[in-house]
Amino acid sequence: MFSSATAYKNQHYSELKSACIKDKKLFEDPEFPATNSSLYFRRAPPGVVRWKRPGEISGSPRLFVEGISAHDLNQGIVGNCWFVAACSCLALKPNLWKKVIPDWKEQEWDPKHPENYAGIFHFQFWIFGEWIDVVVDDRLPTINGELIYCHSKDNNEFWSALLEKAYAKLSACYESLEGGNTGDAVVDFSGAVAEAISLEKEAYYKDQKKQDQLFEDLLKVYDRGGIISCSIKADPHEIEMKLRNGLVKGHAYSVTAVKKVRLGHGLIAYFKNETIPLIRMRNPWGKTEWNGPWSDTSEEWSKVGDTERGNLGITVEDDGEFWMSFADWCKHFTDADVCRLINTSVISVHKTWHEVVHFGSWTKQSEPLLNRCGGCTNHKQTFLQNPQYVFDVTKEVDEVLISLQQKDMKIHRKYGQGENLTIGFSVFRVELNRKYRMHDILTQQNVETSTYINARTVFLRCNLPQGRYVIFPTTFKPLVLGDYMLRVFTDVDSDCRELTVDKPRVRCWSSFLGYPQVVTHVYVHNAEGLENQDSSGGADPYVIISCEGCSVRSTIKPDTLQPQFTTSGVFYRKKPRKPIYVEVWNSNAVKDQFMGQVVLSGSVKDSTEPQRLKLRKQGRQMADEMPGTITLRIVTSTQLTAI
């Protein structure tokens, strides 16, 4: 996941620090100056802002005080609880924060060698598929001597304030951080894959089975180092409104634990083994907690033994961290962001994934057929002009994770822009031998479609049967331009690649060997009544479709005489009068056995509806030797150019 970082604005930390130490001066960042332009673009902070270095705020400044903790952080006056919640999550993951805060020991204040301090720090963020190293000076905005944005509970601890300044620099100013998504910040801290879950829309609190499955999923994410956050949807006038139950609407909470808590005391608890699903959260304010069941002073904790309570670290104080039952969490919260740290390591005790990453753009050309911004499937005239990516599922069934991410737009907020595009994608099952762009969706199966939303990332998790698939990443409307990153995760290599060519290329020898005149799509659906060739009473059939020297072979269907095939092939035919063969074979450990075939001779007519065709044995009379039938659908197109 981690790689060497690229210097933002070509500012190299080590070179700048060395120059400052040599010149015996403190660093002043020309790319993010201590001026109002770095603070806001629309609404000024409520007071006179003075930029101060940590040494002017505290007599003994430190990067960390007694290590890094989720309890360190408090939100400032800007509405960036989403960022503070992400920082709380980050503090729980040493392997992550040590990447985001590189050289943290070297960056720490050294009272014994004050001459080595140059007022410069650097942080690293995963931005659009690349680690970026961001340099900042240590001048921080204050009002009446107090930090006005994100800060630590200890007034001499500055890691969170400096980290926020580096993140604000990426977004052009502090005000650009007002309003955001915790999952996006977590992705920027880790390179994780973010999944947005609507607890309200899916109504998990009404369906115990769905609720139990969600808890198991979140428990697995948490145990494998993932990061989870949540919030309660709010209308504009309800932002950060406190409810009677202690929760705050329009406010981001970081999830700090997901546990099955053992109920009972002593040996009885051990042998009874009764558990309840609980979830722990932290309010970025550092105060204001849930006051319902399983809150700090709730009587429910009397059901839990002292040892178990000690392991959970229960504290009775208003520190912003609290427990809830998972059922109450599903009922009271409306949205959650689940960020999976995808394991692509070859050596691991946990599940590993094969990842493919593609970068692309929705672009407009002078020739409409060359556009790559066709909009969603609602726009049938232009949809096929979108970028197309083909991948293979080689297992019988495989779980596939697909993430579509657009560039962060916050940097444009100060210029009156900065809103996310509404994006999503569709997944089609296609012919096993497809290697050119799709020009017709009527004959293809749309197996999955993501939600379309103006979020930075759209995520889909699905189980797909063996076959070949094409992903269409799109904007919701046509002719909307932008850049995207597509990430596809499968259990084994999917050979995911972009389809860029519309049809077979004309070669220098094409005039001698011929050029395709017709495109024919052959779909085999199932077979029935096959001759029994196994002594056990069944067969292990598979299908081969062949045409002009090219062929497509299905998977083997074990022990059946009525196999259900979903096999298809696309053929670019130079000689349309030549036949297409559909053969059924029985897989045998020693030698494959031929079971029958359909020969489609001459010009094949379109058949949009499945047709039952009789198989015949090779060399036998058609009239009386019928081993069975097979369902076929044939679609012929003479158009070889893009639609």
Side-chain angles (χ1 to χ4, degrees):
M1 184 194 302
F2 296 152
S3 60
S4 58
T6 300
Y8 185 63
K9 300 285 188 179
N10 202 31
Q11 291 179 299
H12 297 272
Y13 168 75
S14 58
E15 295 177 6
L16 292 171
K17 183 174 182 177
S18 297
C20 287
I21 293 174
K22 180 181 178 181
D23 296 338
K24 296 182 180 180
K25 65 179 183 180
L26 297 179
F27 179 61
E28 294 185 2
D29 187 4
E31 297 292 346
F32 199 60
T35 62
N36 287 341
S37 65
S38 298
L39 288 175
Y40 66 94
F41 56 86
R42 178 185 53 197
R43 186 172 62 254
V48 178
V49 174
R50 300 191 185 282
W51 296 80
K52 293 188 175 184
R53 296 186 186 270
E56 299 172 304
I57 300 172
S58 169
S60 58
R62 304 285 296 172
L63 197 60
F64 304 113
V65 173
E66 296 181 356
I68 184 172
S69 167
H71 295 277
D72 291 345
L73 299 124
N74 286 325
Q75 182 184 340
I77 62 173
V78 71
N80 66 338
C81 59
W82 59 278
F83 175 77
V84 181
C87 289
S88 294
C89 296
L90 177 70
L92 298 171
K93 311 291 181 182
N95 61 317
L96 294 183
W97 70 254
K98 289 179 181 178
K99 175 64 180 180
V100 175
I101 311 176
D103 312 313
W104 59 277
K105 290 183 179 179
E106 183 269 339
Q107 294 200 75
E108 183 61 271
W109 274 266
D110 185 356
K112 296 181 180 179
H113 298 282
E115 69 277 6
N116 291 335
Y117 185 75
I120 183 171
F121 292 86
H122 71 130
F123 302 88
Q124 294 184 359
F125 304 98
W126 192 85
I127 304 299
F128 208 59
E130 181 182 23
W131 283 97
I132 302 295
D133 191 89
V134 181
V135 168
V136 292
D137 62 37
D138 65 351
R139 295 176 294 177
L140 299 169
T142 68
I143 295 178
N144 298 324
E146 301 287 336
L147 292 172
I148 60 176
Y149 298 129
C150 180
H151 56 279
S152 294
K153 289 195 301 183
D154 296 303
N155 68 350
N156 65 328
E157 184 178 61
F158 291 94
W159 73 266
S160 59
L162 292 166
L163 174 66
E164 181 188 42
K165 182 174 184 179
Y167 201 68
K169 180 177 178 178
L170 280 175
S171 302
C173 70
Y174 278 93
E175 190 183 353
S176 292
L177 300 184
E178 185 167 334
N181 182 274
T182 302
D184 291 344
V186 170
V187 170
D188 293 341
F189 291 160
S190 63
V193 175
E195 176 183 10
I197 297 177
S198 176
L199 302 172
E200 181 181 49
K201 182 179 178 181
E202 297 296 329
Y204 288 100
Y205 70 96
K206 293 182 179 179
D207 190 324
Q208 190 61 49
K209 186 176 180 181
K210 285 177 62 177
Q211 187 181 125
D212 292 343
Q213 184 58 55
L214 177 63
F215 180 80
E216 292 299 327
D217 289 345
L218 296 187
L219 182 61
K220 186 182 298 183
V221 169
Y222 175 77
D223 286 343
R224 294 183 179 179
I227 296 174
I228 307 165
S229 59
C230 55
S231 61
I232 303 172
K233 192 176 297 180
D235 293 329
H237 68 280
E238 298 177 314
I239 298 296
E240 298 194 341
M241 181 180 78
K242 182 180 176 181
L243 303 175
R244 294 179 63 185
N245 59 23
L247 299 178
V248 182
K249 299 189 73 172
H251 191 61
Y253 290 80
S254 55
V255 173
T256 57
V258 180
K259 297 284 185 182
K260 290 181 179 178
V261 176
R262 190 187 300 272
L263 300 179
H265 298 265
L267 292 176
I268 295 177
Y270 180 79
F271 288 108
K272 194 174 182 181
N273 198 27
E274 182 182 358
T275 62
I276 182 173
L278 298 183
I279 189 166
R280 186 178 68 196
M281 281 152 293
R282 185 176 187 277
N283 184 339
W285 289 348
K287 58 182 180 178
T288 310
E289 300 180 3
W290 159 257
N291 55 35
W294 298 99
S295 58
D296 285 358
T297 58
S298 120
E299 62 181 14
E300 279 77 15
W301 287 109
S302 63
K303 303 175 185 178
V304 179
D306 293 340
T307 302
E308 185 77 344
R309 290 185 64 180
N311 293 336
L312 295 173
I314 306 302
T315 57
V316 183
E317 59 178 309
D318 188 18
D319 58 358
E321 192 168 55
F322 56 89
W323 291 87
M324 292 178 72
S325 72
F326 191 71
D328 278 339
W329 184 75
C330 290
K331 181 178 180 180
H332 292 285
F333 283 88
T334 61
D335 298 278
D337 286 303
V338 180
C339 296
R340 292 175 171 82
L341 297 172
I342 303 296
N343 186 0
T344 57
S345 173
V346 177
I347 303 174
S348 176
V349 294
H350 292 308
K351 178 177 175 62
T352 61
W353 297 84
H354 188 278
E355 178 186 19
V356 177
V357 182
H358 290 284
F359 296 90
S361 301
W362 294 295
T363 58
K364 181 182 177 182
Q365 305 292 334
S366 56
E367 169 56 51
L369 292 182
L370 298 179
N371 284 346
R372 291 296 177 261
C373 52
C376 68
T377 52
N378 294 344
H379 308 277
K380 292 181 171 53
Q381 294 297 318
T382 57
F383 174 74
L384 289 162
Q385 295 173 6
N386 283 298
Q388 303 179 19
Y389 296 87
V390 64
F391 71 96
D392 294 315
V393 173
T394 54
K395 297 174 63 177
E396 186 174 347
V397 176
D398 197 2
E399 183 179 26
V400 180
L401 311 181
I402 304 173
S403 172
L404 178 65
Q405 180 178 328
Q406 61 181 302
K407 277 192 172 179
D408 195 344
M409 307 295 284
K410 290 195 298 294
I411 195 170
H412 302 296
R413 285 181 176 177
K414 66 185 304 182
Y415 308 111
Q417 302 173 9
E419 296 304 316
N420 288 322
L421 307 177
T422 300
I423 62 172
F425 55 87
S426 295
V427 182
F428 287 82
R429 188 169 187 175
V430 298
E431 304 89 350
L432 289 174
N433 61 340
R434 173 166 288 280
K435 58 182 180 179
Y436 302 110
R437 286 176 55 85
M438 285 174 53
H439 303 303
D440 179 15
I441 61 173
L442 298 178
T443 58
Q444 310 294 352
Q445 181 186 5
N446 187 186
V447 293
E448 296 286 350
T449 298
S450 74
T451 56
Y452 275 79
I453 188 171
N454 60 337
R456 202 178 75 175
T457 301
V458 176
F459 175 85
L460 180 68
R461 180 168 44 135
C462 56
N463 292 309
L464 297 177
Q466 191 173 51
R468 179 162 289 187
Y469 299 86
V470 171
I471 305 171
F472 285 78
T474 81
T475 55
F476 185 70
K477 295 181 179 179
L479 301 180
V480 176
L481 311 184
D483 300 313
Y484 63 83
M485 176 176 63
L486 180 69
R487 304 168 75 185
V488 180
F489 300 89
T490 49
D491 192 38
V492 294
D493 187 1
S494 65
D495 192 25
C496 182
R497 60 199 183 278
E498 185 176 5
L499 295 176
T500 58
V501 181
D502 288 307
K503 57 184 178 180
R505 290 189 173 93
V506 176
R507 309 289 186 181
C508 59
W509 53 83
S510 296
S511 57
F512 301 100
L513 301 179
Y515 186 77
Q517 304 174 44
V518 174
V519 184
T520 301
H521 308 262
V522 182
Y523 303 86
V524 178
H525 292 276
N526 54 57
E528 294 180 354
L530 302 178
E531 284 188 346
N532 179 14
Q533 297 196 21
D534 279 2
S535 58
S536 60
D540 303 313
Y542 62 90
V543 165
I544 297 177
I545 309 171
S546 56
C547 175
E548 296 188 28
C550 299
S551 64
V552 171
R553 173 175 167 163
S554 75
T555 56
I556 296 171
K557 304 295 181 179
D559 195 25
T560 179
L561 293 176
Q562 296 184 331
Q564 298 293 314
F565 295 110
T566 55
T567 305
S568 58
V570 56
F571 301 97
Y572 292 80
R573 306 173 66 195
K574 300 174 183 177
K575 301 176 181 178
R577 302 297 302 178
K578 289 284 186 177
I580 296 175
Y581 297 90
V582 181
E583 301 174 343
V584 180
W585 289 78
N586 180 19
S587 179
N588 185 285
V590 179
K591 183 180 180 181
D592 286 351
Q593 296 174 306
F594 184 76
M595 299 184 71
Q597 71 176 3
V598 171
V599 181
L600 304 163
S601 301
S603 298
V604 181
K605 295 182 179 180
D606 286 5
S607 173
T608 56
E609 295 296 327
Q611 294 188 352
R612 306 288 294 166
L613 300 178
K614 292 182 178 181
L615 296 166
R616 66 178 177 83
K617 279 286 202 175
Q618 194 171 25
R620 297 184 181 178
Q621 294 295 320
M622 249 181 116
D624 56 6
E625 297 289 348
M626 297 299 174
T629 59
I630 194 165
T631 304
L632 289 174
R633 183 158 56 92
I634 310 294
V635 180
T636 301
S637 172
T638 57
Q639 186 171 350
L640 296 178
T641 58
I643 294 177

